[in-house]
Amino acid sequence: MATTDVAIQHAGRPASKPIVNDMSIQVATVNGSGSQSSNTVLLRTIFQMGVPVSGKNLFPSNIAGLPTWYTIRANKDGYIARKKEIDFLVAMNPETAQEDVLSLGDGAVVLYDEPLNLRSLRQDLIFYSVPYDKLVATVCPEAKLRKLVKNMVYVGVVARLLNLDMAEVEKAIRKQFARKVKAAELNLAAARAGYDYAVASLTKQDPYRIERMDKNKGKIIIDGNSASALGCMFAGVTVVTWYPITPSSSLVETLIDYMKEYRIGPDGKATFAIVQAEDELAAIGMVIGAGWAGARSMTATAGPGISLMSEFAGLAYYVEVPAVIWDIQRVGPSTGLPTRTSQGDVLSTAFLSHGDTKHILLFPSSPQECFKFAGEAFDLAEQFQTPVFVLSDLDLGMNNWMSEPFEYPEKPIQRGKVLSKEDLERLGGFQRYKDVDGDGIPYRTLPGTEHPAAAWFARGSGHNEKSQYSERPDDFEHNMERINRKFETARSHVPRPEVHTGKSKIGIIAYGTSHWAITESLDQLRGEYNMEADYLRVRAYPFTREVHDFIEKHERVYVVEQNRDAQLLSLLKLDVSPERITRLRSIAHIHGLPLDARSVTDEIMTMEGK
Amino acid sequence: MASTSTPTPKTNRIGLSVMEYKGGKTTLCAGCGHNAISERILEAMYEMGVQPERLAKLSGIGCSSKSPAYFMNRSHSFNAVHGRMPSVATGAVLANRNLLALGVSGDGDTASIGMGQFIHLMRRNLPIIYIIEDNGVYGLTKGQFSATADVGSKLKTGVVNDLPAIDTCVLAIQLGATFVGRSFSGDKKQLSAMMKAAIAHRGTVMLDVISPCVTFNDHEGSTKSYKYMKDHDEPLHEVNFVPAFEDISVDYDPGTTVDVTMHDGSQLHLRKLEEDYDPTNRIGAITRLLEAHEKNEVLTGVLYVNTKAPNFIDLVNMTDKPLATLPQEVTRPSRKVLEECMEELR
Ligand SMILES: Cc1ncc(C[n+]2csc(CCOP(=O)(O)OP(=O)(O)O)c2C)c(N)n1
Ligand code: SF4
Ligand SMILES: [Mg+2]
């Protein structure tokens, strides 16, 4: 039974110099087969061993049956962007196995399910095979469960081959199945069976190894949507509405769990309301109604939902009602690739709705920023009385990331210019749309304020400073100019960019999850081409002064983004002087996969003519 | 607030004169049914002694949806987008459960573009008074048919409607609204009593009020004209409302009325005109409404009432204070909670 499955004669190269803590492992499975747990266990094990790691799930828009790939990258230098090349393939899916193997670079490792018989496909790879079905039958008497447990067997095999500590594997399994002791035992047995099999039957042929480091002390593992959910809870959100859509659903679902745990008052009643609306039109409508009435309200959606929200976004902009909208971007147009990542909603969201509208956008690039920007978004929305869109993406939202733990928000909740009954008694009255302070931001009152002068008429039709219906050209113009002034004020209040400048003439601008590829690419440019580039990470729209300064200082500015039409670059063009526009060059990607550093480096070098 | 000089103006039970309930001057056509409805709303609010600041008026787009500007200036108001007022109202009520929400819509605003939101509002039984000012046409866009126009109804241009009418009352009853009525802007007495009962109800009140559009749909051949209503209005009962704060007891001959105790203790007495009609029977109500269509009758009165069903605020188990004004100490969990969450993720 336990035949030695190492075929030395097939190996591309002998196990020469070990490659330690620098590899990408791809697990190819079938959607719905329980591989998510196995992959999380692998990821956590490496994380627990102190090695920087990231995991990216490439999944189909399907509940069960279609192929899915999970890529784990372990990297001692802390690079956590997607790596283009796969070093170690765990081939579990008969449907994709051949193609998966054929697309590997030479010298890569393939660990496959014995019946797939992949060995004959390539001469230049290292193959190991495992009779999973036989192994799983020994540990899992219940035939029904075997399909799910089978995937935990490869965790054990990989652990042995890559030198993972089985004690850490066990810890990760126990965490994964924290509330299901029986499942934990079963999965642990499966992992052990894989490990034992590898000890007995596989001889190490490849150079890849994980060795303990100490880089993850204190860190957490979290997906961006959970981080956003936590951020919203600590931002004091009270009304949440949503309509399910990938990749945003898990944000609200996680939020529901957290709120049920931590936001029920001593009387057993909720200090919030979460409503699953009938569609995104209703979701945003409820957010606006709640914002008008004074709640901290939010919704979360993706591109198709954003499109539906367009009319309401203009209403909120023009009536000046706070709202927080999370857009976890996926690939459009239309339904597009619902389970792939992009930064394709930048332009449509910046100007969402008809007429002259423009919105504040925030671009988080890490779970930490998801958490932090949640608070920022609510504060900005209430201070500026306007919708604020947080543009996360599928890669950030749904994948697991290592992160520093989140810092408790020290800044008190900012509720903006809201007049109370006492204020009105002092003032005698107020004009809803008057620019009292010169910053374009007017004062508002909330429905229910017990003062006869509190009421104002919220309307999407033309209005004057007193919020009365008006079709007068001057009223309309003044009001629109004031709202513009408000937007200009926002420029100095939104999160500033993160800037790394030296003396280079070449600059890179990026935002959101592209950041992780850029940091690696900067090192590649330096290390491989001896080229220094400066880097600015945009964190919000409207652009702050630093963005203009950065473009001013650089001869060529590469704007890297994950869409086809250079959407952020287009926004920059509207902002910078005509002479500066020619400095901007686009590096845009639209394949739906998280951006990798190599692609960026190659493209910059090509465009630099090198 | 109604500071008094001599002679003392008449005031309601909270000491406000009717002037405190007035709105801006109407810009709707003279004779438009919507104006009469505004008057009835205003009177009912005054007579019930509703604090104007407690009322939140919400509407969509249309002539009807403009009307909140013409009553109760001391109340907050939100003229939202076409057909999507229900969601805005839902958000507002969630944010502040102490508000008395009044939604004013049109038949176009509700039964076409707004049908999705209307239906889901009814399902939730959100505490709100939702009024459809129903004229069978789109007034504001100059008289096209709406989806409540009856088969065979004729436009001024001679165009005949051949699609079936949507009966918003049938839908509302089927979907879970707990106070459903139909009335006529020209029936002052009935509409007033129903409005007051609506204020006393905690749950979704849906009133479809036939409200003739004098400019586009009040001619021969229209089934939403003043004349048609005079000829086809079939009141189910005489609606009498006795508010809780008025200590009056009314005696009727046993068996001649249906008496309903409203949430605030007010009494609704429906003196039967149609012997067998039971407004607490959903199925009976729907059947009778469908039958009325066959007979070209416009049934008016309280079609259905249910004071037992839980409303949406009960269902979401919300705290008693308005969410909008909860302080940070309540809405931001402690440092310890964050540490606990972080530890879970390590
Ligand atoms: C999205 C959108 N589409 C179309 C319109 C144009 N529009 C304004 S009012 C209206 C119909 C209003 O009819 P109804 O609700 O019956 O009100 P009425 O004027 O009859 O009182 C339409 C179609 C609009 N304002 N918004
Ligand atoms: S057009 Fe019709 S609905 Fe509009 S205000 Fe005039 S009468 Fe009323
Ligand atoms: Mg109409």
Side-chain angles (χ1 to χ4, degrees):
Chain A
M1 188 170 106
T3 52
T4 302
D5 259 311
V6 179
I8 297 165
Q9 68 273 27
H10 289 310
R13 61 180 174 222
S16 53
K17 217 172 134 224
I19 301 175
V20 179
N21 296 345
D22 183 13
M23 73 200 68
S24 71
I25 307 162
Q26 183 169 71
V27 184
T29 51
V30 177
N31 201 28
S33 64
S35 53
Q36 194 132 339
S37 303
S38 318
N39 296 331
T40 308
V41 167
L42 261 184
L43 179 89
R44 291 205 75 95
T45 302
I46 298 171
F47 171 77
Q48 287 160 202
M49 288 178 70
V51 181
V53 67
S54 62
K56 303 213 181 283
N57 192 12
L58 188 70
F59 61 106
S61 180
N62 154 273
I63 299 303
L66 287 183
T68 164
W69 294 267
Y70 191 79
T71 311
I72 294 171
R73 179 176 186 188
N75 184 276
K76 57 183 184 304
D77 301 313
Y79 300 135
I80 54 172
R82 184 174 73 91
K83 187 179 163 191
K84 241 180 158 177
E85 309 78 27
I86 302 300
D87 302 311
F88 195 113
L89 172 72
V90 180
M92 300 296 286
N93 183 0
E95 222 180 290
T96 64
Q98 295 229 345
E99 201 190 327
D100 289 341
V101 168
L102 292 174
S103 62
L104 291 170
D106 78 20
V109 185
V110 181
L111 171 65
Y112 67 94
D113 191 4
E114 198 173 64
L116 295 177
N117 203 10
L118 301 173
R119 189 175 304 280
S120 55
L121 287 174
R122 296 266 299 259
Q123 304 295 310
D124 56 343
L125 307 178
I126 299 162
F127 287 95
Y128 305 101
S129 76
V130 177
Y132 289 106
D133 285 329
K134 284 182 205 154
L135 293 178
V136 79
T138 63
V139 294
C140 183
E142 222 176 309
K144 263 201 317 210
L145 292 176
R146 281 181 197 156
K147 205 181 92 186
L148 296 175
V149 178
K150 181 173 166 180
N151 283 317
M152 202 54 79
V153 179
Y154 70 65
V155 173
V157 179
V158 171
R160 166 68 180 173
L161 288 172
L162 294 184
N163 190 41
L164 302 181
D165 187 339
M166 269 311 271
E168 297 292 359
V169 172
E170 175 172 350
K171 192 173 147 198
I173 288 176
R174 295 212 185 276
K175 188 166 180 79
Q176 183 70 19
F177 300 96
R179 287 188 188 88
K180 304 176 213 152
V181 181
K182 257 185 148 168
E185 292 307 328
L186 186 58
N187 279 281
L188 193 53
R192 285 206 180 109
Y195 188 89
D196 293 344
Y197 174 82
V199 170
S201 313
L202 303 181
T203 308
K204 178 79 170 168
Q205 284 293 301
D206 65 86
Y208 297 102
R209 287 175 69 80
I210 295 290
E211 279 173 17
R212 260 185 204 282
M213 292 177 79
D214 194 17
K215 286 220 171 175
N216 301 340
K217 247 221 171 88
K219 286 195 175 140
I220 57 167
I221 288 189
I222 190 169
D223 60 274
N225 281 351
S226 299
S228 305
L230 271 174
C232 293
M233 176 167 77
F234 283 92
V237 68
T238 48
V239 174
V240 183
T241 67
W242 66 303
Y243 187 76
I245 183 168
T246 305
S248 74
S249 302
S250 66
L251 194 164
V252 180
E253 284 164 337
T254 310
L255 182 56
I256 292 171
D257 290 345
Y258 276 128
M259 297 285 264
K260 279 189 178 159
E261 176 116 27
Y262 298 114
R263 285 281 299 274
I264 303 288
D267 54 355
K269 292 190 175 172
T271 61
F272 61 89
I274 301 184
V275 179
Q276 185 183 325
E278 54 270 34
D279 56 28
E280 288 88 345
L281 300 174
I284 182 77
M286 290 177 195
V287 167
I288 292 169
W292 169 67
R296 293 213 129 181
S297 56
M298 63 166 267
T299 182
T301 189
I306 288 289
S307 293
L308 281 179
M309 291 177 186
S310 162
E311 188 191 17
F312 259 132
L315 178 79
Y317 173 80
Y318 189 51
V319 175
E320 303 181 58
V321 174
V324 171
I325 301 115
W326 291 83
D327 177 9
I328 316 303
Q329 297 168 96
R330 60 190 221 181
V331 179
S334 191
T335 303
L337 302 175
T339 59
R340 300 294 147 81
T341 194
S342 93
Q343 298 179 320
D345 299 346
V346 176
L347 268 182
S348 60
T349 309
F351 304 121
L352 193 67
S353 209
H354 54 280
D356 289 316
T357 43
K358 45 189 173 181
H359 303 291
I360 295 173
L361 314 178
L362 304 183
F363 304 107
S365 72
S366 63
Q368 241 178 330
E369 264 180 359
C370 286
F371 180 81
K372 197 156 180 280
F373 283 5
E376 296 269 3
F378 282 106
D379 283 353
L380 288 166
E382 291 204 287
Q383 286 175 306
F384 288 87
Q385 302 173 23
T386 199
V388 172
F389 293 83
V390 190
L391 268 63
S392 174
D393 64 32
L394 182 141
D395 179 22
L396 178 54
M398 290 189 73
N399 284 321
N400 273 323
W401 298 72
M402 293 188 317
S403 172
E404 290 296 338
F406 306 153
E407 280 166 32
Y408 191 75
E410 302 295 347
K411 198 170 99 184
I413 287 171
Q414 306 290 307
R415 309 234 45 188
K417 299 183 187 179
V418 178
L419 297 174
S420 65
K421 178 187 174 190
E422 293 70 32
D423 294 329
L424 291 168
E425 271 160 11
R426 187 166 41 81
L427 297 165
F430 84 113
Q431 296 187 24
R432 170 65 181 105
Y433 294 116
K434 195 174 165 63
D435 187 2
V436 178
D437 304 324
D439 54 5
I441 309 169
Y443 286 81
R444 67 174 183 139
T445 55
L446 305 181
T449 306
E450 289 169 3
H451 189 279
W456 56 281
F457 204 105
R459 45 162 60 91
S461 45
H463 43 259
N464 61 18
E465 289 183 341
K466 295 177 180 162
S467 76
Q468 292 160 327
Y469 184 83
S470 170
E471 297 179 1
R472 287 176 61 118
D474 54 345
D475 279 344
F476 189 78
E477 199 171 346
H478 287 155
N479 193 38
M480 288 296 282
E481 289 303 343
R482 179 189 51 76
I483 298 176
N484 207 30
R485 214 153 48 236
K486 188 169 85 165
F487 198 71
E488 287 305 312
T489 304
R491 257 182 220 283
S492 45
H493 286 77
V494 297
R496 299 181 177 286
E498 206 179 72
V499 197
H500 306 273
T501 39
K503 293 197 190 83
S504 180
K505 299 237 171 315
I506 300 161
I508 297 175
I509 289 180
Y511 57 100
T513 48
S514 305
H515 172 67
W516 304 101
I518 303 298
T519 50
E520 187 177 350
S521 173
L522 288 170
D523 289 348
Q524 289 174 347
L525 291 170
R526 189 179 304 116
E528 298 168 21
Y529 298 95
N530 199 21
M531 185 180 124
E532 288 290 339
D534 295 341
Y535 172 38
L536 177 142
R537 180 165 67 85
V538 170
R539 301 202 302 165
Y541 180 73
F543 302 120
T544 59
R545 243 201 37 232
E546 292 86 347
V547 180
H548 292 99
D549 293 348
F550 187 83
I551 297 170
E552 196 58 43
K553 275 195 205 120
H554 296 89
E555 280 174 15
R556 296 182 293 286
V557 178
Y558 294 97
V559 183
V560 184
E561 48 193 322
Q562 300 173 55
N563 53 55
R564 182 190 67 185
D565 290 344
Q567 298 193 16
L568 191 93
L569 187 145
S570 305
L571 285 181
L572 286 168
K573 276 185 183 169
L574 297 175
D575 246 45
V576 302
S577 63
E579 316 81 75
R580 297 290 171 257
I581 286 177
T582 53
R583 298 181 171 192
L584 304 174
R585 280 123 215 245
S586 169
I587 294 185
H589 289 261
I590 51 155
H591 42 50
L593 306 176
L595 191 63
D596 69 282
R598 181 55 60 197
S599 303
V600 176
T601 303
D602 288 352
E603 242 168 299
I604 290 180
M605 292 323 293
T606 309
M607 289 167 86
E608 282 290 304
K610 285 176 189 158
Chain B
M1 268 105 292
S3 60
T4 48
S5 58
T6 42
T8 321
K10 208 174 156 245
T11 56
N12 64 4
R13 71 183 182 110
I14 59 165
L16 297 182
S17 77
V18 76
M19 287 307 292
E20 306 293 332
Y21 291 78
K22 291 273 190 230
K25 193 176 165 303
T26 179
T27 62
L28 303 180
C29 305
C32 174
H34 303 348
N35 285 328
I37 300 172
S38 297
E39 286 297 316
R40 298 296 85 75
I41 295 172
L42 183 161
E43 281 165 16
M45 295 289 171
Y46 169 76
E47 285 173 27
M48 291 291 283
V50 173
Q51 184 69 41
E53 287 72 34
R54 224 195 106 212
L55 179 71
K57 303 175 283 179
L58 298 116
S59 62
I61 298 289
C63 297
S64 34
S65 293
K66 284 183 177 209
S67 64
Y70 314 134
F71 60 89
M72 297 189 74
N73 273 350
R74 269 178 60 174
S75 307
H76 268 80
S77 198
F78 200 146
N79 188 188
V81 290
H82 193 19
R84 265 63 60 72
M85 168 266 279
S87 60
V88 179
T90 304
V93 171
L94 292 174
N96 187 343
R97 57 178 295 165
N98 293 344
L99 295 174
L100 172 64
L102 170 72
V104 178
S105 181
D107 43 317
D109 197 63
T110 291
S112 291
I113 192 166
M115 193 41 114
Q117 297 214 341
F118 171 71
I119 280 178
H120 288 275
L121 180 72
M122 298 300 119
R123 283 182 74 209
R124 294 191 180 102
N125 193 28
L126 184 85
I128 186 174
I129 304 168
Y130 188 93
I131 299 177
I132 305 174
E133 303 188 343
D134 187 355
N135 53 18
V137 286
Y138 295 177
L140 193 58
T141 53
K142 296 187 183 283
Q144 302 83 358
F145 274 127
S146 82
T148 66
D150 295 298
V151 173
S153 177
K154 210 184 278 173
L155 285 185
K156 264 184 164 173
T157 54
V159 178
V160 175
N161 174 46
D162 42 27
L163 293 176
I166 291 174
D167 189 326
T168 51
C169 291
V170 170
L171 282 176
I173 296 168
Q174 193 245 315
L175 293 164
T178 45
F179 187 114
V180 180
R182 176 164 280 141
S183 189
F184 170 42
S185 67
D187 187 343
K188 196 169 165 175
K189 186 162 177 286
Q190 187 194 51
L191 184 52
S192 281
M194 277 170 48
M195 264 311 303
K196 284 187 265 182
I199 294 167
H201 186 76
R202 284 295 285 174
T204 297
V205 178
M206 206 298 281
L207 300 181
D208 179 43
V209 185
I210 309 301
S211 175
C213 168
V214 289
T215 306
F216 297 110
N217 205 16
D218 197 31
H219 48 273
E220 191 63 38
S222 157
T223 61
K224 298 273 195 282
S225 65
Y226 282 111
K227 173 145 194 326
Y228 187 89
M229 279 308 288
K230 292 230 157 70
D231 298 343
H232 295 80
D233 189 345
E234 284 290 330
L236 288 164
H237 33 237
E238 206 180 283
V239 185
N240 294 294
F241 177 78
V242 183
F245 55 84
E246 265 173 29
D247 201 16
I248 305 172
S249 66
V250 201
D251 286 325
Y252 291 100
D253 292 341
T256 61
T257 63
V258 176
D259 301 316
V260 184
T261 304
M262 308 299 293
H263 292 100
D264 68 348
S266 306
Q267 292 291 322
L268 181 63
H269 303 288
L270 306 171
R271 201 158 74 85
K272 292 180 189 173
L273 297 176
E274 182 165 312
E275 188 52 40
D276 298 332
Y277 195 80
D278 174 8
T280 61
N281 178 346
R282 273 174 88 216
I283 296 168
I286 290 174
T287 310
R288 182 64 186 94
L289 278 164
L290 296 179
E291 195 183 282
H293 280 280
E294 305 284 309
K295 296 194 198 160
N296 292 330
E297 294 169 340
V298 184
L299 288 188
T300 60
V302 178
L303 301 169
Y304 177 67
V305 59
N306 171 357
T307 54
K308 307 259 158 22
N311 67 44
F312 197 55
I313 297 294
D314 304 331
L315 290 175
V316 295
N317 183 36
M318 200 194 279
T319 191
D320 298 336
K321 298 224 175 69
L323 296 180
T325 46
L326 293 178
Q328 177 174 321
E329 298 71 63
V330 175
T331 62
R332 174 173 285 169
S334 69
R335 204 175 286 274
K336 213 179 113 255
V337 168
L338 183 62
E339 273 161 25
E340 200 176 307
C341 295
M342 291 299 102
E343 198 43 50
E344 277 257 310
L345 295 160
R346 281 202 175 101

